[in-house]
Each structure stands twice: as structure tokens, then as C-alpha cells.
Amino acid sequence: MAETKTKPKRVYKPKAEKVAQPKRVGPPAGETIPRAMLRTIVGVVTSDKGNKSITVVVDFQTKHPKYGKYLRRRTTIHAHDEKNEAKQGDKVELAECRPLSKTKHHRLIRIVEKAPELAVQVSAEEIMTGKAPEAR
């Protein structure tokens, strides 16, 4: 005959008493602790078509390891613009942050310089005749 195994009875041990952890003390109400200096990058906005997203091109120079010539390079960065305030052509300052999406790892700190207003495009007809074209 096959013997059946029986489980041994479980013995409950008394739990150790929890030791009170000291509460974390922060700054007084209304005050903030200054954050560490963020690594910032300055670039030019190339696209602001996404909602709360901008594409920024950052130009930089790097020295060739063998020949010593300085090479111009650029990188494209996707950044988070919470208020949709940056427009195409603006010079902006970005800071690194946690990943916000697959490609967004930076956020807009401030607009360093606004882009100049787009000039009114003058048609060839206006130049040749000296007056504005008729409304069609």
C-alpha cells in the first residue's frame, strides 16, 4: 500500500514588535530646498507642431581625435513644452529630466531669444506692377 505524506502542522511564531521609524523632516511650510544645478543645453526650435512637444537642434563643435580639426556637428532633441510657448526659430534652454516618452528626455526651462517675426512675403506680381494683387 502507498503511504500518503501528511503536511506537518504549521507553527506560528509571535511577530517581533515594530520599531518606530523617525519621520522624515523636510523644510518648513512655504520654503523650498534649492535643487542641484541642472545640466542645460541651448538650441534652436525647428518644430513646434506637436502638442506640448518641441524639436530642438543643438549645434556643437568637436575636435577630430587624429587630425585635430574642429568638426561642426548637430543633434536633434525632443523636449517637453508644458505651455506650448516656444515657436519655430526661438532659441531655448533645455534641461535633462526623467524620460517623458520614448524620445522625450528634456524639458523647456526658458526661451532665451524669440525668433524675429516672419517677413510678409511679396509676390512677383506686386513687384512688377507696384501694387498689391487683386483678391480672387
Side-chain angles (χ1 to χ4, degrees):
M1 238 189 191
E3 292 182 28
T4 57
K5 293 185 179 180
T6 58
K7 291 183 182 178
K9 286 196 172 185
R10 195 167 184 181
V11 178
Y12 290 99
K13 295 179 184 176
K15 292 183 180 178
E17 292 182 25
K18 291 185 178 179
V19 178
Q21 296 290 327
K23 290 189 176 181
R24 193 169 177 188
V25 179
E31 290 185 31
T32 57
I33 297 174
R35 294 177 70 180
M37 291 295 290
L38 299 172
R39 180 172 167 221
T40 59
I41 301 168
V42 176
V44 178
V45 178
T46 56
S47 173
D48 61 342
K49 293 181 180 175
N51 184 27
K52 297 186 179 183
S53 296
I54 55 175
T55 304
V56 179
V57 169
V58 179
D59 293 320
F60 60 96
Q61 289 183 336
T62 183
K63 193 173 185 178
H64 191 281
K66 182 174 182 181
Y67 300 112
K69 180 178 179 176
Y70 284 94
L71 306 170
R72 293 173 69 194
R73 298 282 182 238
R74 69 173 49 176
T75 187
T76 303
I77 295 174
H78 299 279
H80 184 68
D81 180 9
E82 183 65 37
K83 299 173 189 165
N84 285 326
E85 56 191 2
K87 301 297 176 203
Q88 188 171 356
D90 290 351
K91 194 173 187 179
V92 295
E93 185 176 10
L94 307 175
E96 288 181 324
C97 65
R98 65 181 177 83
L100 299 169
S101 72
K102 181 179 176 183
T103 57
K104 284 185 359 184
H105 303 99
H106 293 81
R107 60 186 167 83
L108 178 70
I109 297 293
R110 67 186 175 105
I111 298 174
V112 177
E113 184 181 318
K114 282 280 193 186
E117 294 293 324
L118 296 174
V120 178
Q121 294 184 353
V122 182
S123 67
E125 184 180 345
E126 187 176 342
I127 294 171
M128 295 177 89
T129 59
K131 50 186 164 180
E134 296 176 13
R136 295 182 185 172

